[in-house]
Amino acid sequence: MVHASKERTLVIIKPDGVQRSLVGEIIQRFERVGLKLVGVKFGVPEESRIEEHYTLDPEWKRRVGERAIASYTKKGEKPPSNDPIAIGDSVVERLKKYMSSGPAVVMAWQGAHSVELVRKLVGGTEPRSSDVGTIRGDFVLDSYAMSDSDGRAIRNLIHASGSVEEATQELALWFSEKELVDYRLLQEGILYDVNLDGILE
Ligand code: ADP
Ligand code: MG
C-alpha cells in the first residue's frame, strides 16, 4: 500500500491571486502546515485546458448548479435559473474567461491528507461565506449574487482538487510524470518517522 505521506493534490493560484500579489502568502500556508511542493509551473492557462479541467467529472456541472441554487435558497433569494445543468454550463464559459485572463501558478502539493488539508486551508467556494482564517475568507470578498449580476465567474483566488480521485485526474491533465519531482524534505522526519530515532546524538 502507498504510504499516506504520498498523497498529492493540484492547486492553482488563479489570475486574481497573482494580481493581488498573494502568491507568497498562499504558498506559505501550504508550506507551514507541512506539505511539500512537488511540481510548479507559471503561465496563462488556455481556454481549452480550462474546459477540459472542469469537465473531467461529468457530474461536476450539475453539482456546481445545485450548490449555487442552494446558496440562493438559504438566503431566501431567487436563483438565476432552476436548472442546475444550465447554471453549470454558464459557469464553465465564465471560468474559461476568468482563468485565462492572466498568468496563474499551477502546483502539485504532497503530504498526508493533502487533498483534505488544502481544501480546509482554502475555504468554501464563495468568499462571502467562506470561514475566517481560510485563504478565500481572509483575502477576498466575492459572492454568488455579485458574480451572477455581473455575469462572471466567482473570483476566489484558488483552485484546489476536491477529492483524491479528482486530484489524480487533474494532476495528469496539468503535469507530465517527469514534471513531478520525488524527493525528501528534511522536515519529513519529524512529520512521519515512526521511531524518531534520528534526532539525539
Ligand atoms: P471549488 O473551486 O470550491 O471546488 P467548484 O468546483 O464548485 O468550486 O467551482 C469551480 C469554480 O467555479 C469556483 O472556484 C468558482 O470560481 C466558480 N464558480 C462556482 N460556482 C459558481 C457560480 N454559481 N457562479 C459563478 N462562478 C462559480
Ligand atoms: Mg471544485
Side-chain angles (χ1 to χ4, degrees):
M1 210 186 84
V2 181
H3 192 257
S5 62
K6 302 285 185 201
E7 183 175 308
R8 287 176 171 175
T9 189
L10 182 87
V11 176
I12 302 177
I13 303 178
K14 296 175 175 179
D16 55 333
V18 173
Q19 292 301 316
R20 295 278 310 280
S21 298
L22 288 170
V23 173
E25 173 74 41
I26 290 167
I27 287 178
Q28 188 179 39
R29 294 208 171 199
F30 303 138
E31 278 187 331
R32 74 184 185 185
V33 83
L35 296 176
K36 173 168 71 174
L37 186 64
V38 293
V40 62
K41 47 179 76 173
F42 179 78
V44 183
E46 288 179 7
E47 287 196 17
S48 57
R49 177 73 63 97
I50 299 304
E51 170 137 23
E52 259 187 277
H53 173 103
Y54 284 108
T55 50
L56 283 170
D57 172 4
E59 284 296 294
W60 177 84
K61 278 187 190 173
R62 194 178 44 76
R63 277 207 316 274
V64 84
E66 283 171 354
R67 286 207 287 135
I69 292 169
S71 160
Y72 276 98
T73 312
K74 195 172 160 203
K75 293 191 178 75
E77 294 164 7
K78 199 173 148 340
S81 161
N82 287 315
D83 176 6
I85 304 274
I87 296 182
D89 281 335
S90 87
V91 170
V92 171
E93 286 312 304
R94 291 167 182 184
L95 278 168
K96 278 156 61 177
K97 194 169 166 200
Y98 167 35
M99 297 285 286
S100 64
S101 64
V105 184
V106 184
M107 299 177 285
W109 287 88
Q110 180 178 320
H113 321 295
S114 58
V115 171
E116 187 184 317
L117 285 171
V118 165
R119 293 284 286 195
K120 180 178 75 167
L121 295 170
V122 165
T125 304
E126 185 197 34
R128 175 186 185 177
S129 54
S130 46
D131 291 335
V132 174
T134 64
I135 297 167
R136 287 167 171 170
D138 282 356
F139 293 110
V140 73
L141 47 65
D142 210 0
S143 64
Y144 285 113
M146 185 163 67
S147 63
D148 277 334
S149 88
D150 292 346
R152 57 169 178 75
I154 292 189
R155 294 179 189 152
N156 56 9
L157 307 172
I158 299 194
H159 165 78
S161 306
S163 66
V164 172
E165 192 196 359
E166 204 175 285
T168 306
Q169 292 181 324
E170 291 178 356
L171 286 164
L173 178 67
W174 291 92
F175 289 99
S176 66
E177 270 304 320
K178 66 178 192 331
E179 287 172 327
L180 298 176
V181 185
D182 278 314
Y183 68 102
R184 204 172 142 73
L185 271 186
L186 297 179
Q187 68 173 13
E188 284 177 293
I190 204 69
L191 296 176
Y192 304 119
D193 275 3
V194 177
N195 297 318
L196 289 182
D197 51 6
I199 299 172
L200 294 176
E201 294 194 334

